[in-house]
């Protein structure tokens, strides 16, 4: 499946994602800067991304633990997710993933 | 080499001059060593601050789950919050993994507690929420690493904590205090945190409490303050672990602080001391309370907090005037007194002084100093309930 990644430096780069891979790993493999400092334990928020509305709606909803992290992110949007919690699935094909200009880091407080 | 003559450090007759917890009228002060000794300071971190109820915040500051405050109890950082089930909880602010402190701000809002060191997280109920990589470690049991709790109690609208898990409740230790607070501050449950001032004082924490415990020094040392109050009708009464100073507001056009007199407005200054380190100060006028608490930061250093609560979190111009008066006039005067007393306590010339407790227990009598110092003495000497 294909995803388009938007960052402050790239207006949209198409990448290939593998079914079943955590989105954060796919982003890292494609050399996008997503530290994911807490290793997927939902503590830091440094893997925060925004999805397009359709892709967001097609995914299983975030867990309570993930919501607890999202809730504390200043850059929170209606389609925010922690990319460590998003598993790539064929329904995401053609989706747009935006890495926020400003990275949130709950560990830096 | 000539040897200098040995210097007598303390008067010989000191053994006869003692603090007598049972006889305020004939009592002397606590000896100076209680105010300067590093060993006695360390002991107090345990026998006083490790076992007494300490102020954390007003109920309204932990109203929502995850709202928290961080306070100091002696040298311990304590985190107080409300968990998702609505229970107020208190924890040592220390990660059970490798001991890094947890929250760094003095207040805030969180959904879970994070350690910034290795990104361990805890639920608001103190259980481990995540410990990165623990699933790949042998015999790791999250339940073994829940946060260490302290005792928490709501009393008279405030949240109090006690490091001693076996401590008797504050309500049972000071049963009449709540009624006294409600008598002078009927709106206490409606108050909101408005403002904080913090001072670091070069004096032992008890030096500052002694100073707040008497108004014998008011006329010579606070010339402005005695114009604000009615000294002949100033009363000081002692109770179990608290004492209270009350003085009506006289009509005085030249007073340094204008007091708004109106229907339903209270017309007295009230200062309630609660063991071990808290003075609750109620000004005349609309619902208000100022909490002045002294936390030791060393044998001869103290951090004073002054937290102001009003009906609204934005103080009115009159309320600001009272904050500014306390901040810029009264507190600097008191701090200067304490620092100079601390200097004198270090002198080889001084060991104990006589407490001036008069027959009438008048407004200038030092019986509340005796009350406080007797509690200190009993904390150090629990084996003699009568303090002898």
């Amino acid at each position: 499946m294909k995803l388009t990644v938007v960052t402050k430096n790239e207006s949209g780069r198409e990448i290939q994602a593998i079914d079943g891979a955590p989105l954060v790993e796919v982003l890292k493999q494609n050399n996008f800067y997503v530290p994911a400092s807490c290793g997927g334990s939902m503590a830091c928020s440094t893997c925060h991304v925004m999805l397009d509305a359709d892709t967001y709606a097609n995914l299983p909803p975030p867990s309570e633990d993930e919501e607890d992290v999202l809730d504390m992110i200043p850059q929170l949007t209606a389609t925010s997710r922690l990319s460590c919690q998003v598993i790539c699935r064929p329904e995401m094909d053609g989706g747009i993933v935006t890495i926020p200009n400003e990275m949130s880091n709950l560990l830096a407080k | 080499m000539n040897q200098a003559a040995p210097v007598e450090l303390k008067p010989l007759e000191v053994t006869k001059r003692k603090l007598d917890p049972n006889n305020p009228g004939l009592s002397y002060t606590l000896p100076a060593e209680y105010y300067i000794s590093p060993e006695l300071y360390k002991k107090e971190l345990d026998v006083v601050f490790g076992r007494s109820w300490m102020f954390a915040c007003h109920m309204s500051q932990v109203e929502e789950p995850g709202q928290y405050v961080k306070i100091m109890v002696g040298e311990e950082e304590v985190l107080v919050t409300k968990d998702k089930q609505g229970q107020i909880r208190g924890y040592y602010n220390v990660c059970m993994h490798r001991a890094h402190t947890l929250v760094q701000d003095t207040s805030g809002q969180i959904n879970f507690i994070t350690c910034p060191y290795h990104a361990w997280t805890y639920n608001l109920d103190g259980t481990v929420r995540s410990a990165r990589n623990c699933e790949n470690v042998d015999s790791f049991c999250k339940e073994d690493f829940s946060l260490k709790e302290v005792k928490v109690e709501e009393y008279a609208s405030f949240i109090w904590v006690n490091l001693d898990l076996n401590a008797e409740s504050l309500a049972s230790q000071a049963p009449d205090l709540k009624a006294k607070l409600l008598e002078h501050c009927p709106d206490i449950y409606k108050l909101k945190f408005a403002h904080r001032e913090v001072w670091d004082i070069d004096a032992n924490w008890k030096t500052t409490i002694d100073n707040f415990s008497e108004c014998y020094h008011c006329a010579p040392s606070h010339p402005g303050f005695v114009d604000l109050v009615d000294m002949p009708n100033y009363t000081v009464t002692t109770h179990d672990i608290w004492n209270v100073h009350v003085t009506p507001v006289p009509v005085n056009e030249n007073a340094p602080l204008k007091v708004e007199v109106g229907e339903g407005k209270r017309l007295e200054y009230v200062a309630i001391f609660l063991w071990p380190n808290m003075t609750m100060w109620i000004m005349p006028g609309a619902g208000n309370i100022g909490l002045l608490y002294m936390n030791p930061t060393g044998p001869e250093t103290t951090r004073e907090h002054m937290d102001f609560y009003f009906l609204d979190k934005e103080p009115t111009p009159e309320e600001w005037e009272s904050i500014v008066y306390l901040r810029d006039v009264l507190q600097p005067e008191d701090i200067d007194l304490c620092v100079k007393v601390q200097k004198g306590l270090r002198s080889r010339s001084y060991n104990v002084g006589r407490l001036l407790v008069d027959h009438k227990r008048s407004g200038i009598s030092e019986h509340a100093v005796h009350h406080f110092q007797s509690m200190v003495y009993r904390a150090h000497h629990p084996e003699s309930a009568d303090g002898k």
Side-chain angles (χ1 to χ4, degrees):
Chain A
M1 85 206 71
K2 283 182 173 143
L3 294 172
T4 301
V5 182
V6 179
T7 70
K8 64 179 168 188
N9 300 321
E10 294 184 74
S11 58
R13 184 186 355 148
E14 204 172 77
I15 60 167
Q16 198 70 38
I18 303 146
D19 187 11
L23 177 57
V24 67
E25 294 307 326
V26 174
L27 293 172
K28 278 174 182 262
Q29 276 159 18
N30 284 278
N31 299 317
F32 289 102
Y33 181 61
V34 269
S37 316
C38 72
S41 59
M42 291 186 276
C44 71
S45 77
T46 59
C47 69
H48 169 223
V49 296
M50 286 92 88
L51 305 177
D52 66 277
D54 284 347
T55 306
Y56 182 87
N58 285 330
L59 288 172
S63 66
E64 194 185 330
D65 276 350
E66 186 183 346
E67 291 276 19
D68 278 347
V69 178
L70 293 170
D71 197 33
M72 289 163 75
I73 297 177
Q75 300 84 358
L76 177 69
T77 70
T79 60
S80 285
R81 291 297 304 258
L82 297 182
S83 57
C84 69
Q85 299 301 307
V86 174
I87 305 299
C88 293
R89 302 144 57 105
E91 301 93 290
M92 288 171 71
D93 189 38
I96 301 165
V97 179
T98 304
I99 298 172
N101 291 347
E102 226 176 300
M103 189 185 69
S104 154
N105 185 358
L106 300 180
L107 298 178
K109 266 218 118 179
Chain B
M1 199 170 81
N2 283 339
Q3 287 240 315
V7 176
E8 192 64 63
L9 289 181
K10 300 290 177 188
L12 278 174
E13 65 272 25
V14 72
T15 47
K16 284 182 270 171
R17 297 181 175 179
K18 277 186 174 171
L19 176 87
D20 184 347
N22 299 316
N23 201 340
L26 293 174
S27 184
Y28 287 78
T29 61
L30 274 177
E33 68 199 53
Y34 280 76
Y35 296 80
I36 53 181
S37 153
E39 289 74 30
L40 292 176
Y41 163 70
K42 282 250 182 284
K43 189 176 176 191
E44 284 178 354
L45 292 179
D46 177 25
V47 300
V48 176
F49 293 90
R51 301 179 193 184
S52 307
W53 286 99
M54 309 291 293
F55 168 74
C57 62
H58 189 262
M59 284 164 68
S60 60
Q61 289 169 280
V62 284
E63 208 166 15
E64 300 296 327
Q67 256 190 306
Y68 73 87
V69 297
K70 184 186 72 176
I71 54 158
M72 295 300 296
V73 176
E75 293 185 355
E76 295 283 358
E77 288 189 1
V78 171
L79 162 67
V80 175
T81 189
K82 184 180 270 186
D83 71 18
K84 288 185 175 176
Q85 283 68 48
Q87 192 182 334
I88 307 284
R89 304 273 199 158
Y91 305 110
Y92 290 88
N93 189 38
V94 177
C95 183
M96 290 296 116
H97 169 223
R98 295 266 308 283
H100 196 285
T101 55
L102 296 166
V103 302
Q104 306 302 313
D105 294 340
T106 52
S107 66
Q109 170 84 51
I110 46 180
N111 290 331
F112 50 90
I113 301 160
T114 307
C115 177
Y117 192 11
H118 302 95
W120 275 37
T121 63
Y122 298 86
N123 295 304
L124 298 175
D125 66 7
T127 55
V128 173
R129 174 180 172 276
S130 65
R132 190 162 50 104
N133 204 30
C134 71
E135 63 281 7
N136 299 316
V137 170
D138 287 338
S139 304
F140 183 89
C141 184
K142 280 184 181 178
E143 288 69 33
D144 292 344
F145 300 100
S146 294
L147 294 178
K148 287 278 186 295
E149 289 205 65
V150 303
K151 216 166 174 180
V152 177
E153 181 178 342
E154 184 275 312
Y155 184 59
S157 84
F158 296 112
I159 306 296
W160 309 85
V161 299
N162 199 318
L163 302 188
D164 178 5
L165 295 174
N166 297 316
E168 277 181 47
S169 71
L170 180 57
S172 66
Q173 289 188 39
D176 304 322
L177 176 62
K178 184 172 171 175
K180 178 55 77 178
L181 278 165
L182 281 165
E183 175 192 338
H184 295 290
C185 187
D187 290 327
I188 199 161
Y189 283 89
K190 296 183 204 155
L191 297 180
K192 298 275 178 284
F193 175 76
H195 185 71
R196 169 174 284 176
E197 294 285 339
V198 181
W199 289 272
D200 284 309
I201 305 173
D202 287 329
N204 179 274
W205 69 277
K206 298 185 296 299
T207 308
T208 67
I209 302 291
D210 286 344
N211 177 65
F212 276 121
S213 300
E214 47 87 3
C215 211
Y216 186 36
H217 75 276
C218 292
S221 297
H222 300 301
F225 180 72
V226 289
D227 286 336
L228 273 178
V229 301
D230 180 358
M231 279 311 292
N233 291 305
Y234 189 111
T235 62
V236 185
T237 50
T238 60
H239 303 263
D240 32 55
I241 61 164
W242 56 281
N243 58 61
V244 55
H245 302 232
V246 182
T247 169
V249 180
V251 181
N252 186 342
E253 282 304 310
N254 301 321
L257 184 66
K258 284 272 178 295
V259 172
E260 207 189 322
V261 179
E263 209 177 321
K265 300 274 173 72
R266 307 202 65 86
L267 288 175
E268 69 268 313
Y269 291 91
V270 179
I272 298 173
F273 166 74
L274 174 64
W275 169 259
N277 68 338
M278 161 68 81
T279 297
M280 296 175 261
W281 167 269
I282 302 165
M283 302 282 280
N288 74 88
I289 195 164
L291 302 186
L292 289 68
Y293 47 105
M294 307 295 176
N295 200 68
T297 50
E300 297 189 75
T301 53
T302 297
R303 174 163 286 191
E304 175 181 357
H305 283 78
M306 192 185 263
D307 290 353
F308 294 90
Y309 293 83
F310 299 113
L311 289 170
D312 194 277
K313 64 182 187 339
E314 292 298 329
T316 64
E318 291 79 21
E319 287 164 349
W320 261 117
E321 215 181 316
S322 69
I323 292 174
V324 168
Y325 174 69
L326 286 168
R327 183 189 69 193
D328 295 350
V329 181
L330 209 51
Q331 274 313 101
E333 286 175 357
D334 277 319
I335 289 169
D336 185 54
L337 295 169
C338 293
V339 170
K340 287 169 180 166
V341 167
Q342 191 67 32
K343 206 171 185 182
L345 287 166
R346 287 196 290 267
S347 167
R348 67 181 72 192
S349 69
Y350 186 88
N351 188 0
V352 293
R354 174 72 193 271
L355 289 170
L356 290 231
V357 177
D358 62 30
H359 297 134
K360 289 198 296 187
R361 303 294 191 260
S362 75
I364 60 166
S365 170
E366 295 182 307
H367 49 290
V369 181
H370 175 264
H371 181 231
F372 167 63
Q373 294 191 355
S374 297
M375 287 191 274
V376 174
Y377 187 86
R378 288 185 176 116
H380 280 272
H381 306 279
E383 70 284 356
S384 60
D386 65 358
K388 282 185 178 167

